[in-house]
Amino acid sequence: MLSRKTKYGLKALTFLAKREENEPVSISIIAESENISQKFLESILLSLRKAGFLGSKKGKGGGYYLLKRANEIQVAEVYRILEGPIAMVPCVSLNFYEKCDDCPDESVCSVHKLMIQVRDNTLKIFENTTLEDIIIKA
Amino acid sequence: MLSRKTKYGLKALTFLAKREENEPVSISIIAESENISQKFLESILLSLRKAGFLGSKKGKGGGYYLLKRANEIQVAEVYRILEGPIAMVPCVSLNFYEKCDDCPDESVCSVHKLMIQVRDNTLKIFENTTLEDIIIKA
DNA sequence: TGTAAAATCTACTAATCCTATAGGATAATA
DNA sequence: TATTATCCTATAGGATTAGTAGATTTTACA
């Protein structure tokens, strides 16, 4: 299941990507437009800023803006920052690998093999999709 | 993330599928072989029995056994019983559909569109994979 | 008929995660 | 200096997850 955090994050990013001007947009504007709790969105945008996707400006006329072009931001990157591993099991994660404590030998685990397939497929989609691709023009 | 419940369930099912005889195997045998907490596995096998994958026999010499052949049990079915929806967002789920409360119009939601792709891909894998396919012979 | 083995059922608990909120600190602008 | 907006830390409530405990029922077998 996708967390609201990631969902809101993606929505906020595409909201910014849709705009013609890349000028700062305040949290309250984004929150209202996308029906997101403002305080919750605040912490999400902070994460995205720290991860290098967004820049921010304080004070009057301030807000958040994209630091890269929409076609340079992969869904995969955003997902990993907000949601964590793309893999469904830590033992098949490329970026967050962890051994399963119940599994003596991964090469003989049927779940392992299956989940590698799922990871590869999902990864392909998330890496080949950028913000630009998921913008839907009104 | 795949829950331990589903992971253990799949492991238990493949454990049973690997055996030549389809005679009852006690929970304790399965739990020990697969390094699973016995009491936890107990509740998982109960779900799988109620869902029609397993039969059970009480008393001495009792245990659980497969009710179908390994190539007749899709991973997708097991997943839906133990984990729930295959889709990452309720609004793109085929079997567990729910409207998002923050989304006035799904057709204009960029996350929605993206998650349909992921669902279709994962679904294809889970539907085309049966227990027989994920058995790894020792 | 008695006993052991095994599933069944109900209830509970501890820990973790998710979603969201509160409130003050900091910085920029006018 | 007042206002606006981000920044940051802390925390609360609820849901979910993973597991435990214990009593009950059913069956095989001696």
Side-chain angles (χ1 to χ4, degrees):
Chain A
M1 274 290 166
L2 194 74
S3 67
R4 275 162 193 266
K5 190 175 165 187
T6 305
K7 188 181 167 201
Y8 292 164
L10 285 169
K11 281 190 164 193
L13 286 173
T14 50
F15 179 84
L16 291 175
K18 252 189 292 197
R19 300 170 61 90
E20 279 129 40
E21 306 293 329
N22 194 22
E23 280 164 3
V25 183
S26 75
I27 299 173
S28 60
I29 297 285
I30 306 175
E32 203 176 336
S33 309
E34 298 290 337
N35 300 303
I36 304 172
S37 141
Q38 179 170 338
K39 274 294 192 178
F40 191 26
L41 181 59
E42 204 178 298
S43 67
I44 296 168
L45 295 181
L46 207 53
S47 302
L48 291 173
R49 199 215 60 188
K50 286 181 177 166
F53 298 110
L54 296 176
S56 66
K57 206 183 157 203
K58 288 182 176 183
K60 191 165 191 179
Y64 286 95
Y65 53 91
L66 288 179
L67 282 182
K68 304 175 184 178
R69 263 182 272 133
N71 64 6
E72 290 166 346
I73 300 183
Q74 288 178 6
V75 169
E77 299 170 314
V78 178
Y79 190 98
R80 287 204 182 96
I81 293 298
L82 297 178
E83 191 79 19
I86 290 170
M88 295 186 86
V89 184
C91 70
V92 303
S93 173
L94 300 172
N95 291 259
F96 302 81
Y97 175 84
E98 257 180 82
K99 199 181 173 313
C100 299
D101 46 0
D102 61 304
C103 235
D105 184 358
E106 283 173 9
S107 68
V108 191
C109 175
S110 41
V111 176
H112 184 82
K113 207 175 105 193
L114 175 67
M115 291 305 151
I116 285 182
Q117 277 185 69
V118 177
R119 180 206 66 194
D120 286 344
N121 268 266
T122 309
L123 203 52
K124 199 188 290 172
I125 296 174
F126 283 170
E127 283 181 343
N128 290 336
T129 307
T130 68
L131 280 195
E132 191 176 47
D133 298 318
I134 61 174
I135 289 178
I136 297 171
K137 268 133 195 164
Chain B
M1 275 289 167
L2 193 74
S3 67
R4 276 164 193 265
K5 189 175 166 189
T6 305
K7 187 181 167 199
Y8 293 165
L10 285 170
K11 281 190 162 192
L13 286 173
T14 50
F15 179 85
L16 291 175
K18 253 190 291 199
R19 301 171 60 91
E20 278 129 41
E21 305 293 330
N22 195 21
E23 279 165 4
V25 182
S26 75
I27 300 174
S28 60
I29 298 284
I30 306 175
E32 204 175 334
S33 310
E34 299 289 337
N35 301 304
I36 304 171
S37 142
Q38 178 169 339
K39 274 295 192 176
F40 190 27
L41 182 58
E42 207 177 296
S43 67
I44 296 168
L45 294 181
L46 207 53
S47 302
L48 291 173
R49 199 215 60 190
K50 286 181 178 167
F53 298 111
L54 296 176
S56 66
K57 206 182 159 202
K58 286 184 175 183
K60 193 167 190 177
Y64 286 94
Y65 52 92
L66 289 179
L67 282 181
K68 304 177 183 178
R69 264 183 271 135
N71 64 7
E72 290 167 347
I73 300 183
Q74 287 178 5
V75 169
E77 298 170 315
V78 178
Y79 190 99
R80 286 205 182 96
I81 293 298
L82 297 179
E83 192 79 20
I86 290 170
M88 296 185 85
V89 184
C91 70
V92 303
S93 173
L94 299 172
N95 291 260
F96 301 81
Y97 175 84
E98 255 179 83
K99 199 180 173 313
C100 299
D101 46 1
D102 61 303
C103 236
D105 184 356
E106 284 172 9
S107 68
V108 191
C109 175
S110 40
V111 175
H112 184 81
K113 209 176 104 191
L114 175 67
M115 290 304 150
I116 284 182
Q117 276 185 69
V118 177
R119 181 206 64 194
D120 286 343
N121 268 266
T122 308
L123 203 52
K124 200 189 288 173
I125 296 174
F126 283 170
E127 282 182 345
N128 290 336
T129 307
T130 69
L131 279 195
E132 192 176 45
D133 299 318
I134 61 175
I135 289 177
I136 297 172
K137 269 136 197 161

